[in-house]
């Protein structure tokens, strides 16, 4: 619920997460969940790969002309009776939202799911200002009851079991009979539906995020499966949209392209249940809808990413595919990353938004396996961008002294190939001898971090380079054969 | 400097532009005045009975139920049948849509009320602006004819879709809206609805009926059958 930063403690966070049996049981389901569904949905649409190219190109074009599309977007929102508010940073965005709520005499504020709201720590601020914010996305509602933050950008309560949710509902929904049966997960859904329905009807202001903003028409777009975003924005006196600048796309047609890759990449659906295009406030003849429409456009460090290699990160449409496919996320979950955005996209975005001094550990939390890039609907080169952050972290001397001296030692040998070969030859031979033919070590000096969790494989005696050299003669002979045949034909 | 001016200035500094470059302005003006359709999947490109069948396949894949009737006069009877078959009360809320109003609701035992929903209605009926074959989706427009609250507050939503309004893709909906409404083509709200409400937030399992309708029933008026 807050934007408290624990990213500098990533190592400790990750260690705790690995010891958390309940969390590990939940994370174990990831391999058969989102990633399988995404693969099936992608395979079922022959045009999917071409649509990813199209989505990438649309975002690149928009970012290259962002100033002009923003001006067009703003003009269109204003023409349709809405208001656009620009916010340089989190504090300014919070203040704008609170001011709108205050001007309307609001008490209760319902909220659709918005990562920007998490990024700026909006709920705490609204509470301090005397308003009652109520999250209406089921996952967000659950974590609000627990005073937690989302652990996943599209499944905020991903880290929780049904039993934990049942405990929370019994603790909070005290108006309901304590003996009621909540053993079936669907009964939890029904209870939340009843509880939130009253809030939807009573709310004064509804706040949603935006998956896209459309310059052509001044439209904001939300994509949900529950319908909570629609009830949030339709019933109150005012609808406030929170969005960051890079949500913009040029036209309605461009948005249609993006929608095809968003749902498939996120949940494996061909389309989310509710895709809603909102333009301005209630019209004169409308019998329902909000009387006022405000859009708060947040920068918070993004304009500084334009024109750098990190501009590519601004293509991100927040589908969550990168984290669903990430072996590190699958091992430690989202909270370990310590700020709003977890997984590979968070490892690139977080240092840009909160500083490499605070977020610098995150780009190191990658094996560079490349699965994130292989599934990214807008083809963001996430491993490359994480490598750029590692370089920046090293340049700024933020890497720990042990890592730096280790790298310096390796660098000394790597620049002297003969010495490198001798040293690795001696090392491999010594380790093989020390392993006494067992092929592995259960413990090794200076490597307890590794051997605590698993054995360290022992070298068999010769280095790869030595074996490669020994094979060279045979390879030359084998390589000559096709040429001989080729000439004969 | 206002936040707006500062943000725009930052963007321009980062991109190394002034905002006045004619080629950039022209590129944006062209894109906005002649929207590119991009890649539209082949799977929705169907006509006539095949379009209805394809729409039905994708709609049923996301737990929408579909009934096909031969004319507008058959719609009330089908709505009454569906409500009765699901043990639901014979009550319906609808907006002021003239196409719905012209149907013979009086020939059924349904108790019909009019206007937006305030949250107490179990069943609502709307007339779709369009259906999207590619995804089995319905497109509904806000306004007095089909108030947005009817799409979300009732537990059960019946949507009437004229097969002549079935289009291959969302892009075709935009084309039609631009043709009908010109420079400001969109009403306050355009809802694209693909199945009944659901959530996967409890136990990482999908359950229907999160906040919006628990059930979505589409009644397709098949104009090809009567033609």
């Amino acid at each position: 619920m807050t934007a408290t930063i624990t990213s500098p403690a990533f190592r400790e966070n990750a260690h705790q997460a690995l010891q958390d049996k309940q969390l590990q049981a939940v994370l174990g389901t990831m391999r058969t969940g989102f990633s399988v569904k995404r693969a099936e949905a992608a395979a079922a649409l022959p045009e999917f790969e071409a649509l990813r190219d199209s989505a990438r190109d649309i975002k690149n074009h928009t970012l290259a002309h962002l100033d002009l599309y923003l001006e067009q977007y703003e003009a269109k929102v204003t023409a349709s009776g809405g208001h656009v508010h620009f916010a340089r940073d989190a504090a300014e965005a919070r203040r704008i939202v609170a001011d709108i709520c205050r001007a309307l005499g609001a008490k209760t504020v319902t909220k659709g799911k918005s990562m920007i709201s998490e990024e700026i720590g909006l709920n705490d601020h609204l509470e301090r200002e005397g308003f009652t914010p109520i999250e209406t996305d089921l996952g967000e509602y659950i974590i609000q009851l627990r005073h937690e933050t989302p652990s996943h950008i599209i499944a905020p309560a991903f880290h929780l079991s049904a039993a934990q949710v049942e405990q929370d509902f019994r603790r909070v929904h005290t108006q309901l009979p304590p003996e009621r049966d909540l053993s079936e997960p669907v009964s939890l859904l029904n209870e939340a539906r009843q509880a939130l329905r009253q809030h939807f009807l009573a709310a004064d202001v509804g706040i949603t995020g935006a998956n896209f903003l459309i310059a052509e028409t001044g439209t904001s777009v939300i994509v949900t499966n529950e319908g909570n975003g629609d009830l949030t924005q339709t019933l109150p006196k005012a609808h406030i949209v929170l969005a960051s600048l890079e949500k913009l796309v040029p036209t309605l047609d461009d948005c249609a392209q993006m929608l095809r890759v968003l749902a498939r990449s996120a949940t494996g659906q061909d389309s989310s249940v509710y895709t809603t295009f909102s333009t301005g406030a209630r019209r004169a003849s409308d019998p329902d809808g909000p009387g006022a429409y405000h859009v708060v456009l947040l920068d918070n460090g993004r304009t500084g990413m334009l024109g750098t290699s990190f501009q590519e990160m601004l293509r991100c449409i927040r589908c969550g595919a990168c984290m669903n496919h990430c072996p590190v996320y699958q091992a430690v979950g989202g909270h370990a990353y310590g700020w709003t955005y977890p997984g590979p996209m968070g490892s690139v975005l977080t240092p840009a938004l909160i500083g490499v001094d605070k977020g610098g550990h995150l780009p190191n939390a990658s094996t560079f396996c490349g699965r994130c890039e292989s599934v990214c609907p807008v083809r963001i080169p996430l491993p490359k961008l994480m490598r750029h952050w590692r370089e920046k972290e090293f340049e700024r001397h933020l890497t720990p002294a042990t890592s730096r001296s280790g790298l310096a030692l390796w660098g000394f040998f790597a620049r002297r190939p003969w010495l490198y070969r001798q040293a690795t030859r001696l090392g491999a031979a010594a380790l093989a001898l020390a392993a006494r033919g067992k092929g592995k070590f259960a413990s090794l000096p200076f490597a307890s971090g590794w051997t605590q969790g698993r054995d360290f494989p022992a070298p068999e005696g010769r280095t790869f380079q030595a074996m490669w050299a020994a094979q060279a003669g045979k390879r030359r002979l084998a390589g000559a054969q096709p040429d001989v045949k080729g000439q004969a034909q | 400097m206002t936040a707006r001016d500062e943000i725009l200035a930052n963007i321009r500094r980062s991109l190394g532009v002034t905002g006045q470059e004619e080629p950039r302005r022209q590129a944006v003006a062209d894109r906005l005045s002649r929207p590119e359709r991009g890649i539209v999947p082949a799977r929705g490109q169907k006509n006539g009975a095949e379009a209805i069948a394809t729409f039905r396949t994708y709609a049923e894949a996301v737990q929408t139920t579909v009934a096909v009737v031969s004319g507008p006069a058959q719609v009330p009877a089908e709505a009454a049948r569906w409500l009765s078959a699901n043990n639901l009360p014979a009550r319906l809320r609808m907006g002021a849509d003239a196409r719905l109003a012209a149907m013979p609701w009086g020939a059924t035992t349904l108790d019909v009320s009019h206007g937006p929903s305030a949250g107490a209605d179990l069943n609502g009926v709307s007339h779709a602006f369009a259906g999207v074959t590619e995804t089995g989706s319905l497109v509904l427009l806000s306004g007095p004819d089909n108030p947005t609250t009817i799409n979300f507050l009732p537990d059960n939503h019946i949507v009437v879709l004229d097969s002549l309004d079935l289009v291959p893709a969302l892009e075709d909906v935009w084309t039609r809206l631009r043709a009908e409404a010109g420079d400001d083509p969109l009403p306050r709200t355009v809802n694209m609805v693909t199945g009944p409400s659901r959530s996967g937030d409890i136990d990482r399992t999908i359950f229907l009926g999160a906040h919006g309708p628990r059930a979505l029933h589409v009644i397709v008026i098949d104009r090809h059958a009567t033609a």
Side-chain angles (χ1 to χ4, degrees):
Chain A
M1 210 161 75
T2 68
T4 308
I5 298 166
T6 67
S7 305
F10 176 78
R11 286 166 61 103
E12 294 77 11
N13 294 348
H15 190 71
Q16 275 180 18
L18 288 166
Q19 307 296 325
D20 184 336
K21 285 202 173 64
Q22 190 276 326
L23 177 66
Q24 289 301 318
V26 168
L27 291 170
T29 66
M30 284 197 85
R31 286 168 198 88
T32 53
F34 287 134
S35 46
V36 171
K37 292 197 183 88
R38 181 217 167 261
E40 289 170 355
L45 188 70
E47 295 90 348
F48 187 70
E49 292 305 314
L51 279 161
R52 288 174 68 193
D53 291 338
S54 176
R56 174 200 59 204
D57 296 346
I58 288 167
K59 280 289 189 178
N60 280 347
H61 169 83
T62 313
L63 292 169
H65 302 84
L66 188 60
D67 52 330
L68 302 176
Y69 282 120
L70 274 174
E71 286 178 341
Q72 156 79 16
Y73 170 78
E74 183 193 24
K76 279 289 178 183
V77 173
T78 308
S80 60
H83 305 273
V84 178
H85 311 262
F86 287 82
R88 282 166 281 216
D89 54 28
E92 193 164 22
R94 290 191 298 258
R95 192 169 63 244
I96 292 165
V97 174
D99 286 348
I100 296 169
C101 293
R102 200 174 297 111
L104 288 162
K107 292 188 183 70
T108 308
V109 179
T110 43
K111 296 184 66 216
K113 203 175 113 41
S114 158
M115 291 311 295
I116 298 299
S117 169
E118 301 290 341
E119 178 181 329
I120 66 175
L122 182 62
N123 285 356
D124 280 358
H125 183 74
L126 289 177
E127 282 177 9
R128 277 196 301 273
E129 297 284 311
F131 307 107
T132 306
I134 294 158
E135 295 289 347
T136 64
D137 171 85
L138 186 52
E140 290 279 349
Y141 176 69
I142 292 165
I143 62 165
Q144 188 184 26
L145 297 182
R146 298 172 63 86
H147 305 286
E148 287 183 356
T149 55
S151 64
H152 189 290
I153 61 171
I154 67 159
F158 188 85
H159 57 290
L160 298 172
S161 66
Q164 287 172 298
V165 177
E166 178 180 348
Q167 279 180 11
D168 291 316
F169 280 12
R170 288 192 185 283
R171 173 172 59 80
V172 177
H173 299 157
T174 49
Q175 73 281 13
L176 297 171
E179 67 277 9
R180 68 194 187 279
D181 182 8
L182 291 176
S183 55
E184 292 296 322
V186 70
S187 58
L188 297 168
L189 181 76
N190 287 332
E191 184 163 313
R193 180 185 172 102
Q194 282 170 16
L196 282 163
R197 188 52 74 97
Q198 301 314 312
H199 293 304
F200 283 127
L201 295 167
D204 304 300
V205 172
I207 299 176
T208 69
N211 293 89
F212 303 101
L213 303 173
I214 302 172
E216 178 191 356
T217 47
T219 301
S220 57
V221 184
I222 58 168
V223 173
T224 79
N225 280 320
E226 298 182 2
N228 67 302
D230 290 280
L231 290 168
T232 297
Q233 69 172 50
T234 304
L235 300 175
K237 285 181 268 190
H239 175 198
I240 303 176
V241 179
L242 295 176
S244 48
L245 306 169
E246 80 281 10
K247 292 289 175 192
L248 216 59
V249 293
T251 65
L252 293 164
D253 294 72
D254 291 323
C255 186
Q257 297 283 293
M258 307 303 299
L259 288 167
R260 289 195 180 93
V261 294
L262 174 59
R264 287 182 174 89
S265 301
T267 55
Q269 292 169 283
D270 288 355
S271 170
S272 301
V273 176
Y274 301 111
T275 304
T276 299
F277 302 81
S278 304
T279 312
R282 181 198 288 220
R283 310 283 165 85
S285 62
D286 284 349
D288 50 22
Y293 176 73
H294 296 269
V295 183
V296 181
L297 285 179
L298 179 71
D299 179 351
N300 212 26
R302 289 164 175 82
T303 51
M305 295 166 71
L306 290 168
T308 74
S309 58
F310 297 107
Q311 178 169 326
E312 298 201 77
M313 189 60 220
L314 295 175
R315 291 202 298 266
C316 177
I317 55 173
R318 306 289 190 269
C319 69
C322 60
M323 57 198 76
N324 293 339
H325 291 77
C326 176
V328 177
Y329 183 98
Q330 286 177 4
V332 301
H335 284 151
Y337 290 80
W339 196 53
T340 309
Y341 304 103
M345 59 77 63
S347 295
V348 176
L349 191 60
T350 303
L353 298 187
I354 68 172
V356 70
D357 54 326
K358 294 196 193 73
H361 276 315
L362 305 184
N364 292 305
S366 166
T367 63
F368 283 173
C369 72
R371 287 190 81 196
C372 50
E373 182 176 357
S374 75
V375 296
C376 176
V378 285
R379 302 198 191 277
I380 299 170
L382 291 155
K384 182 184 91 178
L385 296 179
M386 282 188 266
R387 207 178 60 243
H388 284 188
W389 278 126
R390 290 189 191 184
E391 287 161 5
K392 283 185 187 295
E393 189 194 21
F394 192 83
E395 282 163 16
R396 292 186 51 186
H397 294 267
L398 293 167
T399 316
T402 46
S403 306
R404 294 188 77 85
S405 48
L407 281 170
L409 187 68
W410 179 82
F412 174 82
F413 284 102
R415 281 194 297 271
R416 293 164 180 80
W418 182 83
L419 208 56
Y420 187 93
R421 279 196 296 276
Q422 297 310 312
T424 48
R425 190 177 61 80
L426 280 171
L431 281 171
L433 205 63
R436 295 191 203 93
K438 280 185 291 194
K440 61 185 191 232
F441 293 97
S443 70
L444 258 188
F446 307 114
S448 62
W450 177 288
T451 54
Q452 264 173 13
R454 55 249 189 255
D455 291 340
F456 187 87
E460 291 177 0
R462 289 197 299 165
T463 66
F464 173 76
Q465 287 179 326
M467 290 166 73
W468 181 262
Q471 294 280 328
K474 292 180 197 170
R475 267 202 319 279
R476 266 195 295 279
L477 277 176
Q481 282 172 353
D483 285 344
V484 174
K485 276 185 192 167
Q487 283 164 2
Q489 280 171 353
Chain B
M1 210 181 209
T2 64
R4 174 190 186 279
D5 293 345
E6 195 172 325
I7 286 170
L8 286 172
N10 282 342
I11 293 171
R12 287 175 174 140
R13 191 181 317 114
S14 293
L15 292 175
V17 299
T18 64
Q20 299 305 314
E21 294 88 349
E22 196 44 42
R24 289 181 82 240
R25 300 190 77 86
Q26 196 57 50
V28 167
D30 288 349
R31 181 89 169 213
L32 292 169
S33 60
R34 289 189 297 278
E36 294 171 18
R37 268 174 76 91
I39 292 155
V40 180
R43 74 185 216 183
Q45 316 284 327
K46 305 277 167 64
N47 291 309
E50 219 188 342
I52 297 176
T54 306
F55 171 87
R56 180 178 202 142
T57 301
Y58 290 125
E60 288 177 348
V62 292
Q63 292 78 41
T64 304
T65 54
V66 179
V68 180
V69 299
S70 57
Q74 277 72 53
V75 169
E78 168 55 27
R81 183 205 65 79
W82 184 78
L83 290 173
S84 161
N86 289 284
N87 292 319
L88 295 166
R91 287 197 300 275
L92 263 183
R93 177 164 290 275
M94 69 173 72
D97 194 292
R99 294 163 295 183
L100 291 177
M103 293 170 183
W105 299 98
T108 67
T109 56
L110 293 174
D111 174 10
V112 177
S113 55
H114 294 270
S117 178
D121 308 294
L122 264 180
N123 314 313
V125 60
S126 307
H127 202 297
F129 172 74
V132 178
T133 306
E134 182 191 337
T135 46
S137 307
L138 301 156
V139 176
L140 298 130
L141 307 184
S142 61
D145 289 355
N146 293 286
T148 304
T149 40
I150 292 182
N151 302 343
F152 294 98
L153 284 171
D155 274 20
N156 308 288
H157 193 203
I158 298 172
V159 179
V160 180
L161 172 65
D162 191 317
S163 68
L164 296 176
D165 296 328
L166 206 47
V167 294
L170 184 56
E171 282 83 346
D172 302 296
V173 176
W174 305 142
T175 303
R176 204 178 126 193
L177 277 167
R178 288 188 192 110
E180 289 180 11
D183 279 350
D184 293 308
L186 301 191
R188 149 68 196 169
T189 307
V190 178
N191 290 122
M192 180 168 158
V193 177
T194 315
S197 162
R198 68 200 62 199
S199 174
D201 277 341
I202 291 178
D203 234 19
R204 291 156 297 283
T205 309
I206 298 286
F207 296 105
L208 295 187
H211 294 298
R214 300 168 188 272
L216 176 65
H217 185 58
V218 180
I219 304 177
V220 181
I221 303 169
D222 184 355
R223 301 288 184 174
H224 308 285
T226 54

